[in-house]
């Protein structure tokens, strides 16, 4: 299986090369040249998560020796998830929450960022690459920590994470600035997530700069969902969720379901789309946004317009105006029209918007939920079921309620539950009508009481871990910051 850029199909690379590069040289994103088909689902329903992952990831990354795929999966989905099945499906209020947050950093990003370092390292070894890799990442809060944790102390790899200074939750910030590992670097930028993501994309696209890095012995790669190595491992859990419903007798073989995904950079929902293209019986993909509803407007009107203020919400990992993976989705639904994609992406950069005339609403349903709706969903779910949702999951649940009301389509539904409520205590506490304590860790105790769960050690330890990363920079200074960090210019650890 080869991979090519959404903007130029001539330039084909293997999956190892695509994973090492992260993004294509022409600025496009790597996509598989064909989407493989799943075997008969009935025959898969007794597979463990790891077995299913070996099958699906092996289909896409077929230039890896199968031993490397197996070792990557065993390394990723064992101890790091407490040696349990890494995802859980729980039914509440008639819908099925696919809990994807039981990994080391308590957000769904762990599902891919625990395995990506293994895949990256195997690719570097197989390809005999001598330079050190620099993983450059812009984060809206969760990718940063998951990448730092996944890549810490991996030989031959450095990680640099840029996060928006005022755009992440307190818990997310603490998780990042206390990160250990000699090869980890964390920088707060004076800007929002889109500024950080644009800065990173500019660095990738700067030929001179990349030459200079190469002379110093470095090559760049990405741990954002623009890296195909992030995306494919996410396909697995949608199939796993479906098989779980089948196994428990909640659906019949080949019965269609709907899938709801709280969306930011469009990576997670794109993985669901790939699962559907592989033959998983998914009817509607429901794209849930928060107040930054660029995608909702796009699916409604066909106009993608980033020319608006980015709002800071209680679901910071979705505070995004430029959803990178939409490019891949449009590439596929346009019948792989590379020149149309190139035009639109250029328009988006130059004019801040583009129009997609030929759009079928059957492909995807987009809606958004505002802060009040998110709060009332959290409150109602807790009141009714004693189940605590984090704000991102609550966006998805609120949107699903609207979808049900509008369409009456009550097929069995899976909601991607993307973060643990422990990561976002303030909004959860306020939604339940309680007073937000001054001290973050007092808030954590309230969440633990509500969930009738123990506080995860990843959260409780933050109270006493030393701060190791204090660097900040202006959004125009990211290139310089990277060079300085690689020279060992960071004095704080
Ligand atoms: C990253 C993230 C999202 C958005 O996922 P995308 O793949 O960027 O669309 C939603 N919820 C949480 C908790 C996240 O960390």
């Amino acid at each position: 299986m080869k991979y090519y850029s959404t903007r130029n199909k001539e330039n084909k690379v293997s999956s190892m090369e695509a994973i090492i590069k992260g993004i294509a040289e022409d600025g496009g994103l790597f996509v598989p040249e064909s989407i493989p088909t799943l075997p008969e689902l009935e025959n898969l329903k007794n597979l463990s998560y790891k077995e299913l992952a070996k099958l699906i990831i092996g289909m896409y990354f077929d230039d890896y020796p199968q031993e490397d795929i197996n070792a990557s999966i065993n390394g990723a989905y064992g101890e790091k998830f407490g040696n349990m099945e890494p995802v859980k499906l729980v039914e509440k209020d008639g819908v099925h929450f696919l809990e994807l947050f039981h990994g080391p950093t308590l957000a769904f990003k762990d599902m891919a960022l625990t395995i990506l370092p293994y895949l990256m390292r195997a690719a570097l070894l197989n390809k005999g690459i001598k330079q050190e890799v620099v993983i450059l990442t812009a984060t809206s809060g969760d990718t940063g920590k998951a990448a730092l944790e996944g890549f810490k102390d991996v030989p031959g790899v450095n990680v640099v994470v840029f996060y928006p200074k005022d755009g992440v939750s307190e818990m997310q910030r603490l998780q990042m600035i206390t990160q250990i590992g000699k090869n980890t670097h964390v920088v707060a930028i004076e800007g929002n997530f889109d500024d950080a993501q644009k800065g990173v994309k500019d660095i990738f696209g700067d030929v001179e700069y990349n030459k200079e890095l190469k002379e110093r012995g470095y090559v760049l790669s990405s741990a954002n969902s623009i890296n195909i190595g992030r995306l494919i491992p996410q396909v697995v859990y949608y199939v796993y969720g479906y098989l779980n419903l089948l196994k428990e007798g909640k659906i019949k073989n080949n019965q269609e379901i709907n899938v709801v995904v709280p969306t930011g950079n469009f990576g997670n929902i794109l993985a669901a789309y790939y699962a559907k293209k592989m033959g998983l019986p998914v009817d509607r993909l429901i794209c849930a946004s928060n107040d930054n509803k660029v995608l909702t407007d796009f699916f409604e009107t066909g106009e993608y317009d980033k020319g608006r203020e980015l709002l800071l919400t209680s679901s910071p990992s979705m505070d995004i105006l430029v959803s990178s993976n939409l490019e891949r989705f449009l590439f596929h639904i346009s019948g792989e029209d590379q020149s149309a994609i190139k035009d639109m992406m250029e328009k988006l950069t130059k004019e801040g918007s583009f129009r997609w005339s030929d759009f079928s609403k059957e492909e995807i349903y987009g809606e958004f939920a505002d802060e009040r709706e998110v709060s009332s969903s959290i409150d109602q779910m807790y009141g009714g079921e004693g189940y605590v949702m984090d704000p991102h999951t609550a966006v998805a649940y609120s949107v699903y309620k609207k979808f049900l009301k509008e369409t009456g389509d009550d097929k069995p539904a899976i909601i991607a539950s993307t973060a643990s409520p422990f990561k976002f205590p303030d909004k959860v506490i306020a939604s339940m009508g309680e007073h937000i304590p001054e001290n973050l860790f007092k808030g954590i105790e309230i969440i633990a009481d509500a969930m009738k769960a123990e506080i995860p050690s990843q959260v409780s330890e933050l109270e006493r871990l030393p701060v190791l990363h204090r660097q900040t920079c202006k959004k125009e200074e990211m290139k310089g910051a990277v060079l300085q960090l690689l020279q060992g210019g960071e004095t704080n650890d």
Side-chain angles (χ1 to χ4, degrees):
M1 167 98 69
K2 292 287 187 196
Y3 290 77
Y4 42 55
S5 163
T6 45
R7 301 186 198 175
N8 176 9
K9 294 201 282 180
E10 298 306 309
N11 194 357
K12 293 190 185 183
V13 299
S14 69
S15 75
M16 287 194 206
E17 289 166 320
I19 286 172
I20 295 171
K21 283 180 194 288
I23 186 168
E25 272 133 22
D26 57 17
L29 307 185
F30 288 115
V31 286
E33 61 181 347
S34 64
I35 308 270
T37 307
L38 285 169
E40 176 55 50
L41 292 167
E42 194 61 39
N43 299 337
L44 303 181
K45 69 181 186 192
N46 291 317
L47 295 186
S48 67
Y49 193 88
K50 283 189 202 170
E51 288 165 334
L52 188 66
K54 285 170 192 171
L55 176 81
I56 293 174
I57 297 173
M59 282 171 152
Y60 281 94
F61 298 159
D62 61 359
D63 56 323
Y64 278 87
Q66 187 69 40
E67 311 91 81
D68 283 353
I69 296 285
N70 294 352
S72 299
I73 287 164
N74 292 334
Y77 301 128
E79 215 178 299
K80 294 183 200 307
F81 288 85
N83 293 315
M84 315 266 269
E85 284 291 85
V87 307
K88 291 195 186 95
L89 194 66
V90 291
E91 184 172 352
K92 298 288 169 191
D93 192 26
V95 283
H96 305 278
F97 288 88
L98 189 62
E99 293 186 350
L100 304 170
F101 55 76
H102 296 292
T105 76
L106 307 178
F108 93 95
K109 304 292 197 297
D110 287 326
M111 296 307 301
L113 281 165
T114 47
I115 186 171
L116 183 61
Y118 291 97
L119 294 171
M120 182 79 74
R121 176 113 181 100
L124 294 172
L125 290 174
N126 275 294
K127 293 278 158 200
I129 295 203
K130 297 284 183 301
Q131 291 106 335
E132 294 219 353
V133 169
V134 182
I135 304 283
L136 212 55
T137 291
T139 185
S140 56
D142 288 329
T143 288
K145 178 61 182 182
L148 291 161
E149 193 56 33
F151 283 101
K152 71 159 185 255
D153 295 326
V154 173
V157 178
N158 301 277
V159 201
V160 183
V161 168
F162 291 100
Y163 71 93
K165 193 156 161 271
D166 302 315
V168 300
S169 82
E170 181 59 8
M171 184 64 65
Q172 290 175 318
R173 199 178 65 86
L174 277 179
Q175 281 187 313
M176 289 189 280
I177 62 177
T178 56
Q179 177 66 45
I180 55 166
K182 283 205 167 51
N183 62 341
T184 61
H185 307 281
V186 180
V187 184
I189 76 150
E190 289 159 16
N192 60 34
F193 172 73
D194 285 314
D195 296 324
Q197 176 158 262
K198 181 171 180 302
V200 165
K201 281 187 180 168
D202 285 349
I203 293 180
F204 277 104
D206 184 335
V207 180
E208 278 305 309
Y209 184 81
N210 279 269
K211 235 193 236 158
E212 187 175 341
L213 279 177
K214 211 163 193 173
E215 279 160 17
R216 299 180 187 210
Y218 296 109
V219 286
L220 292 177
S221 187
S222 167
N224 281 99
S225 53
I226 53 179
N227 194 318
I228 194 75
R230 266 280 299 271
L231 219 50
I232 300 303
Q234 296 180 182
V235 176
V236 178
Y237 49 71
Y238 290 107
V239 181
Y240 184 80
Y242 186 93
L243 294 172
N244 222 296
L245 290 177
L246 195 57
K247 194 164 141 181
E248 289 177 9
K250 290 183 173 161
I251 54 172
K252 292 198 208 60
N253 196 17
N254 293 324
Q255 185 177 343
E256 285 193 327
I257 63 166
N258 292 324
V259 172
V260 194
V261 186
T263 295
N265 223 5
F266 210 77
N268 203 6
I269 196 165
L270 187 74
Y273 174 73
Y274 278 15
K276 178 178 177 172
K277 296 264 282 181
M278 292 179 81
L280 196 72
V282 173
D283 183 19
R284 303 299 290 275
L285 290 170
I286 300 166
C287 174
S289 300
N290 64 20
D291 278 317
N292 294 294
K293 59 185 188 64
V294 190
L295 288 165
T296 309
D297 293 346
F298 174 61
F299 293 127
E300 178 71 33
T301 65
E303 174 94 6
Y304 193 100
D305 184 3
K306 67 165 185 171
R308 59 181 87 190
E309 193 188 343
L310 185 102
L311 305 168
L312 298 181
T313 72
S314 62
S315 42
S317 303
M318 298 160 66
D319 291 343
I320 293 177
L321 295 179
V322 181
S323 298
S324 295
N325 280 291
L326 185 68
E327 176 167 349
R328 284 187 168 114
F329 180 67
L330 296 178
F331 178 79
H332 292 298
I333 65 167
S334 68
E336 309 203 340
D337 189 343
Q338 52 186 27
S339 59
I341 298 295
K342 202 158 172 262
D343 282 354
M344 282 188 289
M345 294 305 137
E346 269 165 21
K347 277 214 177 82
L348 183 61
T349 309
K350 290 202 189 105
E351 295 158 30
S353 68
F354 67 82
R355 187 152 247 302
W356 180 267
S357 47
D358 179 23
F359 196 82
S360 156
K361 291 228 163 80
E362 292 309 304
E363 290 282 0
I364 208 150
Y365 172 95
E367 235 328 325
F368 81 106
D370 64 23
E371 288 297 328
R372 200 185 40 79
E373 291 166 324
V374 169
S375 286
S376 96
S377 286
I378 292 174
D379 188 36
Q380 278 174 19
M381 181 59 85
Y382 182 61
E385 296 270 357
Y387 186 61
V388 184
M389 295 185 295
D390 97 285
H392 302 77
T393 307
V395 167
Y397 178 75
S398 309
V399 162
Y400 179 62
K401 288 274 155 186
K402 289 185 178 176
F403 170 82
L404 270 183
K405 204 165 169 194
E406 187 185 317
T407 64
D409 176 353
D410 63 352
K411 289 188 194 70
I414 284 181
I415 294 183
S417 177
T418 50
S420 159
F422 281 111
K423 280 194 106 159
F424 306 94
D426 289 3
K427 177 68 172 182
V428 176
I429 294 168
S431 302
M432 299 190 304
E434 291 190 42
H435 173 69
I436 302 172
E438 197 100 341
N439 181 312
L440 178 65
F441 294 92
K442 284 270 178 307
I444 294 298
E445 284 169 23
I446 298 177
I447 300 289
D449 281 347
M451 291 176 75
K452 298 187 178 63
E454 289 198 15
I455 300 172
S457 60
Q458 304 97 300
V459 171
S460 52
E461 71 182 13
L462 292 175
E463 199 169 2
R464 49 187 168 75
L465 290 180
V467 172
L468 300 174
H469 306 272
R470 299 177 196 276
Q471 183 147 349
T472 58
C473 90
K474 298 211 165 61
K475 63 187 181 195
E476 305 81 22
E477 293 170 350
M478 290 168 62
K479 284 180 188 168
V482 172
L483 288 177
Q484 197 192 339
L485 289 169
L486 292 176
Q487 277 172 352
E490 196 179 27
T491 52
N492 45 36
D493 57 348

